């Protein structure tokens, strides 16, 4: 699938970029320097601009291979990324994917993740023809829990010790939304 831009109210969603016209590298380095993102993000971390460009290349490859649809959440005025949101582990056979997101430190608490996630959920159900979107987060991540609740996800369970954070294993809460929930 070709990359899709989405209007999400006060923000717009576009593919992460690192080219001669738009370069999100500095914004990614700044965001990933935040201890909150480093704590909960896990997996791919960005430490410098070269790493940011590789991160963007990897996200582009994932989109092209229909594994993960990832967007920079950008402010409408300047086009600067203030977060990232994605549907990952896209499974067209079962019509499922998992929603993941983060918001840069200076932009948290404003409903940005919830607004962007709502737009991505509508895209997933309408544009990708998904049946089920899941969302999971560490039990201690209160911000992520608020996002799930505001978006109308149903809590399904708990995976014990499923995420390693700073050398400790944390339980994850599992949530879902079905296309029929809209």
């Amino acid at each position: 699938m070709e990359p899709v831009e989405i209007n999400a109210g006060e923000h717009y969603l576009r593919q992460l970029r690192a080219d001669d016209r738009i370069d999100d590298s500095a914004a990614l380095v700044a965001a990933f320097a935040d201890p909150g993102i480093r704590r909960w993000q896990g997996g791919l971390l960005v430490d410098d601009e070269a790493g940011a460009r590789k991160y963007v290349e990897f996200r582009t490859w994932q989109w092209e291979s229909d594994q993960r649809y990832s967007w920079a959440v950008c402010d409408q005025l300047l086009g600067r990324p203030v977060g990232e949101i994605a549907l990952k582990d896209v499974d067209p056979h079962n019509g499922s994917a998992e929603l993941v997101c983060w918001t840069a430190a200076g932009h948290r608490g404003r409903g940005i993740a919830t607004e962007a996630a709502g737009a991505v959920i509508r895209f997933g159900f309408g544009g990708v023809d998904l049946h089920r979107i899941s969302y999971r987060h560490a039990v201690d991540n209160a911000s992520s829990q608020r996002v799930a609740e505001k978006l109308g996800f149903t809590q399904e369970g708990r995976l014990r010790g499923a995420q390693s954070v700073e050398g400790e294993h944390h339980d994850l809460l599992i949530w879902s939304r079905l296309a029929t929930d809209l």
Side-chain angles (χ1 to χ4, degrees), residues 26-101:
L28 287 169
V29 171
F32 279 87
D34 172 56
I37 289 180
R38 295 187 79 81
R39 175 174 171 75
W40 300 115
Q41 177 69 16
L44 295 174
L45 294 175
V46 174
D47 293 317
D48 56 29
E49 290 205 15
R53 285 188 290 280
K54 287 180 182 175
Y55 184 90
V56 171
E57 287 173 11
F58 185 59
R59 292 291 187 242
T60 300
W61 174 82
Q62 287 178 309
W63 190 297
E64 291 169 351
S65 62
D66 291 318
Q67 295 177 24
R68 178 185 188 119
Y69 304 128
S70 182
W71 293 267
V73 180
C74 301
D75 67 69
Q76 292 277 16
L77 183 60
L78 301 174
R80 292 187 186 137
V82 298
E84 181 182 9
I85 190 154
L87 292 172
K88 73 174 198 168
D89 301 328
V90 178
D91 179 351
H93 176 73
N94 289 309
S96 64
E98 181 181 345
L99 177 74
V100 293
C101 60

Side-chain angles (χ1 to χ4, degrees), residues 4-182:
V4 173
E5 292 190 4
I6 302 173
N7 183 342
E10 293 184 26
H11 295 82
Y12 77 96
L13 313 179
R14 63 160 171 79
Q15 188 172 24
L16 286 162
R17 291 179 56 180
D19 56 50
D20 59 344
R21 292 191 58 232
I22 298 174
D23 191 346
D24 297 329
S25 298
L28 287 169
V29 171
F32 279 87
D34 172 56
I37 289 180
R38 295 187 79 81
R39 175 174 171 75
W40 300 115
Q41 177 69 16
L44 295 174
L45 294 175
V46 174
D47 293 317
D48 56 29
E49 290 205 15
R53 285 188 290 280
K54 287 180 182 175
Y55 184 90
V56 171
E57 287 173 11
F58 185 59
R59 292 291 187 242
T60 300
W61 174 82
Q62 287 178 309
W63 190 297
E64 291 169 351
S65 62
D66 291 318
Q67 295 177 24
R68 178 185 188 119
Y69 304 128
S70 182
W71 293 267
V73 180
C74 301
D75 67 69
Q76 292 277 16
L77 183 60
L78 301 174
R80 292 187 186 137
V82 298
E84 181 182 9
I85 190 154
L87 292 172
K88 73 174 198 168
D89 301 328
V90 178
D91 179 351
H93 176 73
N94 289 309
S96 64
E98 181 181 345
L99 177 74
V100 293
C101 60
W102 58 262
T103 305
H107 301 276
R108 293 188 191 127
R110 300 180 190 172
I112 295 169
T114 303
E115 179 182 68
V120 167
I121 289 167
R122 289 186 297 278
F123 170 79
F125 290 142
V128 184
D129 201 27
L130 296 176
H131 164 72
R132 179 183 195 280
I133 296 176
S134 63
Y135 183 69
R136 61 187 183 163
H137 62 83
V139 171
D140 300 349
N141 193 335
S143 297
S144 289
Q145 181 162 340
R146 280 192 302 277
V147 169
E149 291 168 346
K150 287 178 181 178
L151 290 168
F153 278 81
T154 300
Q155 188 175 338
E156 293 184 332
R158 183 182 195 124
L159 292 175
R160 296 181 313 129
Q163 182 178 22
S164 178
V165 177
E166 299 172 340
E168 295 182 17
H169 285 86
H170 291 256
D171 293 359
L172 294 176
L173 295 180
I174 306 300
W175 304 75
S176 72
R177 260 207 65 192
L178 301 179
T180 55
D181 293 341
L182 292 178

